[in-house]
Amino acid sequence: MDIFDALEQMAINATTTEDTPGELLTHIISKWQTLFSYSATEAKERIETYRNNLIRMRVSDEHWEFVKEEKEVAGYDREAYEYELENFQARKQQSTQSQVKNLAVSPTEARKKYLLKMEGQLSTPQQIQEAASLVGVPGIVEGKNDDGQDEEVTFCIVDGKAKVTIGAWLSAQYLDFKPTFIRVTGEAEKDLSPYSMYPTLGKDSTLPQFRASHNGTRFLPLQDQYPVWYFFYGTLANLDVLSRHLALNSAPDLRQASVYGGVLQTWAGKYHALVDGRPNSRVDGSAYLVETREHEDALRAYETDNYEVVRCEIVIGELRVMGCTFRFVGSVDEGRKLCMVAKELGLKLDVEPEIYVEGSSEGRRVERGGGIGKDYGF
């Protein structure tokens, strides 16, 4: 509703707000008591408040004529019907806001990006803004269907939190509409705090022993520090892969290295996943000195937003340096997780699942049972 429609609605409400004779008012109070389970005093107050609201909702004459017969049989007049509609909308909005407020969205899910197709109840950026409770209007991307008809399609860009919020909003509206979300793969997140060691592999920076000892403490590496050492444990530890991805003119100087505080798992049954582990758990791999932001950006794009950049201490022979690595942010394979839990509890599994572990220059190998041990970061 624009400002002119709002002013016209106020004028209509003002002209239709009239004093009601006592006998008729008593009849209306009785009706509202029956319809809305109010006491006589409460019904009188609600009627007066509603009539004094110059921006109250009104249905069109056509709308009322369409439902009049059914509603009058149920005991409604037009005023009571409009009151119920307005209050239903208010309750629905409060329910939506309450659901959105209580939504639990992990930081990992929240920062994911999606293309939301503009259609149905979400056919404009403004509708999407309302449904997702966004501060601003989301950006628009134009595209075409891949069905061979060359039809133009419009999308809005939303994050993971907006996606979950839209789902809650549609549910609160009692709508069966199913929105179309397309996952957009982003780069690995990098947000190194200058005020604490957050994020660091295997360390909870909120614990007292990991806090700064004095105000002048510097946490390395810094967000924009170059060159910076990186620890690789998967395909990036392959000379050909790293050289090709960074478009290097000569073979990269990869050095054998280790990190502590992490464990190597898998996700999707085949991809390496470095996650937090116990302080003495070790993962072997390679270290590489990243010279420029451009090279780092290329590495972050390669790893995708399934990973995040975290600080770590890298051991290169006798040398120990503070550097970075890519920590997995999703859900690891349940088989590997089961092995970890069993080991922590001192239990032995009757059947131990296959585990992918870091191998030599020949690549990855698969172990059973005996692959769970200190040589592989457990």
Side-chain angles (χ1 to χ4, degrees):
M1 179 182 294
D2 61 27
I3 187 170
F4 298 107
D5 291 335
L7 290 172
E8 182 180 3
Q9 187 66 64
M10 290 176 65
I12 294 173
N13 289 337
T15 57
T16 55
T17 300
E18 302 175 351
D19 293 333
T20 304
E23 183 179 341
L24 181 57
L25 180 59
T26 302
H27 171 71
I28 296 173
I29 290 173
S30 177
K31 178 184 296 186
W32 281 44
Q33 284 183 263
T34 303
L35 291 173
F36 308 120
S37 301
Y38 294 150
S39 66
T41 302
E42 188 177 15
K44 184 174 184 296
E45 291 175 351
R46 294 295 181 105
I47 293 169
E48 291 174 349
T49 301
Y50 181 66
R51 290 182 175 182
N52 289 330
N53 178 15
L54 297 183
I55 59 172
R56 65 184 183 271
M57 185 188 76
R58 294 185 65 86
V59 299
S60 66
D61 292 339
E62 293 80 6
H63 181 138
W64 174 242
E65 286 300 323
F66 182 76
V67 301
K68 180 178 179 180
E69 182 177 351
E70 175 188 351
K71 291 301 177 182
E72 287 185 340
V73 170
Y76 290 83
D77 57 16
R78 181 166 179 168
E79 182 182 47
Y81 173 65
E82 291 174 338
Y83 172 82
E84 183 181 61
L85 279 182
E86 183 170 280
N87 278 267
F88 174 75
Q89 293 291 343
R91 290 195 303 271
K92 188 163 62 173
Q93 184 176 11
Q94 290 173 358
S95 174
T96 302
Q97 291 172 346
S98 177
Q99 288 186 43
V100 170
K101 184 177 180 181
N102 295 325
L103 287 176
V105 184
S106 68
T108 300
E109 177 61 31
R111 64 174 176 246
K112 291 180 179 179
K113 298 296 181 184
Y114 296 87
L115 292 178
L116 170 58
K117 187 177 180 181
M118 292 168 56
E119 58 182 343
Q121 279 78 17
L122 301 172
S123 58
T124 69
Q126 290 73 22
Q127 289 174 332
I128 294 172
Q129 179 187 10
E130 177 187 356
S133 297
L134 301 176
V135 176
V137 178
I140 297 176
V141 175
E142 301 287 345
K144 293 185 178 180
N145 272 335
D146 56 2
D147 56 6
Q149 298 184 13
D150 210 30
E151 179 185 354
E152 291 190 357
V153 184
T154 307
F155 299 88
C156 272
I157 304 173
V158 298
D159 60 21
K161 182 178 180 180
K163 177 177 181 289
V164 175
T165 304
I166 288 170
W169 181 84
L170 290 171
S171 176
Q173 304 295 316
Y174 305 104
L175 297 174
D176 293 328
F177 171 69
K178 302 295 183 184
T180 301
F181 290 97
I182 301 175
R183 176 82 159 84
V184 179
T185 302
E187 61 186 14
E189 177 83 2
K190 183 186 181 187
D191 186 14
L192 307 183
S193 172
Y195 309 110
S196 72
M197 63 172 55
Y198 176 84
T200 297
L201 181 68
K203 293 183 178 179
D204 182 353
S205 59
T206 63
L207 297 178
Q209 63 267 36
F210 297 135
R211 296 174 186 168
S213 56
H214 55 83
N215 292 336
T217 302
R218 296 183 75 219
F219 297 94
L220 301 177
L222 302 176
Q223 175 76 6
D224 298 315
Q225 177 181 329
Y226 304 98
V228 58
W229 284 99
Y230 263 79
F231 175 77
F232 300 142
Y233 51 87
T235 53
L236 286 176
N238 182 291
L239 288 172
D240 292 336
V241 172
L242 183 62
S243 180
R244 182 172 62 253
H245 194 67
L246 296 182
L248 301 176
N249 295 322
S250 57
D253 182 16
L254 278 173
R255 305 186 187 184
Q256 289 187 345
S258 301
V259 292
Y260 287 85
V263 291
L264 198 61
Q265 302 186 21
T266 63
W267 66 280
K270 57 181 179 179
Y271 299 111
H272 287 98
L274 179 65
V275 297
D276 289 337
R278 293 174 296 173
N280 63 341
S281 60
R282 190 187 82 190
V283 176
D284 295 327
S286 300
Y288 177 71
L289 188 63
V290 177
E291 298 283 353
T292 65
R293 180 196 299 274
E294 289 72 25
H295 278 180
E296 183 185 61
D297 288 345
L299 295 172
R300 290 169 59 197
Y302 178 84
E303 291 291 354
T304 76
D305 55 5
N306 289 303
Y307 298 82
E308 63 180 344
V309 177
V310 298
R311 294 183 173 110
C312 63
E313 185 179 50
I314 305 174
V315 181
I316 311 172
E318 300 298 320
L319 178 68
R320 289 176 176 264
V321 298
M322 289 303 299
C324 296
T325 190
F326 293 100
R327 180 171 65 188
F328 184 61
V329 296
S331 299
V332 298
D333 294 334
E334 290 301 317
R336 187 71 180 234
K337 189 187 297 183
L338 179 61
C339 289
M340 290 182 61
V341 173
K343 182 171 177 60
E344 292 288 343
L345 297 177
L347 303 176
K348 181 175 177 59
L349 299 177
D350 292 334
V351 179
E352 294 178 304
E354 290 186 343
I355 306 168
Y356 291 93
V357 298
E358 186 68 23
S360 61
S361 59
E362 297 177 354
R364 185 176 58 206
R365 67 180 184 273
V366 177
E367 298 272 346
R368 281 187 182 273
I372 307 175
K374 64 180 182 180
D375 290 341
Y376 304 116
F378 289 91

